Amino acid sequence: DIVEQFIDVHQPKKETNFANIITEDTYMLQILEKIRMVAPSNAPVLIQGETGTGKELIAQALHNNSRRHETGEIVALNCAAIPGSLLESEMFGAEKGSYTGANALHIGRFERAHKGTLFLDEISELSWELQAKLLRALQEREIERIGASQPTQVNVRVIASTNENIEKLRSEERRAGKECRSRWAPDH
């Protein structure tokens, strides 16, 4: 890993805010150093780890140590906890009257996270259709609410997490003839 080549956990540290992460473990200290290095960028980040390993704490630490901490909040969305039929509305919002039961404008998580960070937990649960819309939002920095006639500009850093092995998923998708749209997984 190229980033690991530049990490010296014995260097003096800049002022950091790691929230509720307390450790003396050498490996975890290296992860915290990576957070300190990556946090100032606006690049999307993918956090991989087993359930219960603190992926949301890592996302919070990335946000807390970024400039976005001063301009916006971190907005979380657990992609596995919301039925697929409602997930698009939760992510991107919906105009009043755009579907049965849409009695008012619904602002999605992307807009709520404007100038801040959007944390998408369990991103591997997204359908291919939503992955394509997410990729467009990342590339174009705009979203379309369900039923909208015009796109809405958003300034959001996306941090995503998964407990899945992304490389294994990519391999299985290639065998199935599907195109992998993830911007986070390295392409070998």
Side-chain angles (χ1 to χ4, degrees), residues 89 92-99 101-108 111 145-148 152:
S89 175
F92 303 112
E95 295 289 327
K96 179 180 178 179
S98 60
Y99 57 85
N103 300 326
L105 171 68
H106 174 68
I107 301 298
E111 284 184 85
R145 292 185 203 121
I146 297 171
T152 301

Side-chain angles (χ1 to χ4, degrees), residues 28-91:
M28 192 63 196
L29 290 171
Q30 290 177 344
I31 291 173
L32 296 179
E33 181 62 17
K34 287 181 183 181
I35 291 169
R36 188 186 66 75
M37 292 171 59
V38 172
S41 92
N42 283 317
V45 175
L46 175 65
I47 304 166
Q48 286 182 253
E50 294 178 18
T51 301
T53 56
K55 296 181 293 290
E56 191 161 357
L57 289 174
I58 299 296
Q60 185 69 55
L62 282 162
H63 175 74
N64 289 349
N65 291 284
S66 72
R67 290 176 286 249
R68 290 183 177 275
H69 181 69
E70 300 165 6
T71 60
E73 62 182 300
I74 184 167
V75 175
L77 176 62
N78 184 334
C79 300
I82 298 174
S85 59
L86 300 175
L87 200 50
E88 181 177 3
S89 175
E90 275 304 307
M91 286 179 71

